[in-house]
Amino acid sequence: MRQTAPESRGPVRYGPPAPGPGLPVLPGLAALLAAAADRTGPEPPGGGPVLREAAAGYWWRRGLRTHPGDVVAAPGAPPLLLALIAAHGGDLLLPRPCPAWWAPQARLLGRPAYHVPTPAECGGVPDPYALLETVRRVRAEGGDPRLLLLSVADDPTATVAPPEILREACEAAVAEGLHIISDETWRDTVHQPQRTVLLSPAEMCPDDVTVLVDLAGSLTPAAWPCAVARFPPAADRAAELRARTLDILTALGALVPGPFAPAAAHALDEPEDVTVRVRLTAQLHGAVAAAAHREVLAAGALARPPRAGRHLYADLGPLRAGLAARGVTDSFELETLLTARLGTPVPGGHRFGDELGALRARFDTVAFLGDTAEARAETLGSAHPEEIPHVAAALSGFGAALRELAAPAADPTGH
């Protein structure tokens, strides 16, 4: 995994990357990229017709009526979210915690962003009553809340929002005149889709939701920047907002690189090689995340059961006494300690807008898959990847490190 530089304690440029799969590029995607390597120009603003048609088909298959004219593509989710925020205007509301890359977009635009607590059941979606109270307070203080960002399959908490909670949050937001941007980057990484109900806010409030998907979540390598947004087809202001978003992307020069477009469109078309890889990757990381979750609980810490993604969000608050004896009293210090102990970046909860005093951190499951491409490839398709020797050893070492932190620190004087 990419190491975090020693001075990386706050600057955006050192923010934690999204959890990667740690697996080789699909040969079919690599071949398409190689075949398009001689394309010297970018896609037109918002993506060309082939790419947008493929994105429309992706959403049609998920029950969302979409046409190419409802779609905008950009070179990655951050510039696309930046353009969406700028196009809508107003202040933002974000769940706490939330993806590390959301708030910087608002800061770049000088827009206030207010964090709203999440319910006990899940992350990614604000508690409906806390959302209403936050909107009331912000307006009373002269603010202008217009946008709510949420994620039904969440980074960092690895949870999937139950439909009833999602509906209550969306209805509360729409009743207060907020537009919703639903980041569904991780929706195709659900570990057990037969047992997990995942709905999009766009199914519940079709005129008030823009859907955002970063293809790096499950379809393409992270180094191939491409993200797509779906504007509500029948909404009165959708065409205006889409045009404004295109203007902003054009002004930024945020255009999808030409050589990436054919591979991105192929991935969005979801041929068999892509769907099989997505399914196997989700199963792999789900099994490893479940094993890591057991280690966290065995050490006396807390974590919601991971349902999606390639990560686990743990609360080490119950280990506070042992951590304090080692000089750790907040998530900043916890990040430093865990990164050093585990030998891999472990971003603290403060990176995700969580309270600094809360001892929370995100563990990325790719760290358990091995240090080489061969070791990681061995895990793909295994019915029990957590039992493969090098994975089991990594999980065991992880659990031992957590249990060590729970124990009282040794007295350096020997008494």
Side-chain angles (χ1 to χ4, degrees), residues 134-210:
T134 303
V135 171
R136 183 202 63 78
R137 176 177 56 82
V138 171
R139 286 177 176 155
E141 295 173 354
D144 182 24
R146 295 190 197 177
L147 277 176
L148 169 64
L149 270 63
L150 54 78
S151 55
V152 289
D154 186 44
D155 171 25
T157 65
T159 57
V160 174
E164 61 275 13
I165 291 177
L166 180 64
R167 177 174 291 279
E168 290 177 5
C170 291
E171 289 178 349
V174 172
E176 291 296 328
L178 304 179
H179 187 79
I180 299 168
I181 296 179
S182 177
D183 182 358
E184 299 181 12
T185 293
W186 299 99
R187 68 169 297 153
D188 296 321
T189 67
V190 171
H191 302 157
Q192 295 180 309
Q194 300 87 354
R195 301 182 182 180
T196 306
V197 178
L198 187 152
L199 295 179
S200 170
E203 298 176 66
M204 302 175 176
C205 306
D207 295 338
D208 300 288
V209 178
T210 297

Side-chain angles (χ1 to χ4, degrees), residues 208-244:
D208 300 288
V209 178
T210 297
V211 180
L212 171 68
V213 173
D214 189 340
L215 272 61
S218 62
L219 296 174
T220 62
W224 299 8
C226 187
V228 289
R230 172 195 180 271
F231 290 81
D236 293 338
R237 296 187 62 223
E240 174 191 345
L241 290 170
R242 182 178 181 275
R244 194 179 303 168

Side-chain angles (χ1 to χ4, degrees), residues 292-303 314-320 323 399 402-407:
H293 180 250
R294 292 192 291 270
E295 296 288 352
V296 167
L297 298 185
L302 302 173
D315 182 355
L316 276 62
L319 314 184
R320 186 175 293 274
L323 289 167
L402 293 183
R403 291 190 295 274
E404 178 188 347
L405 297 179

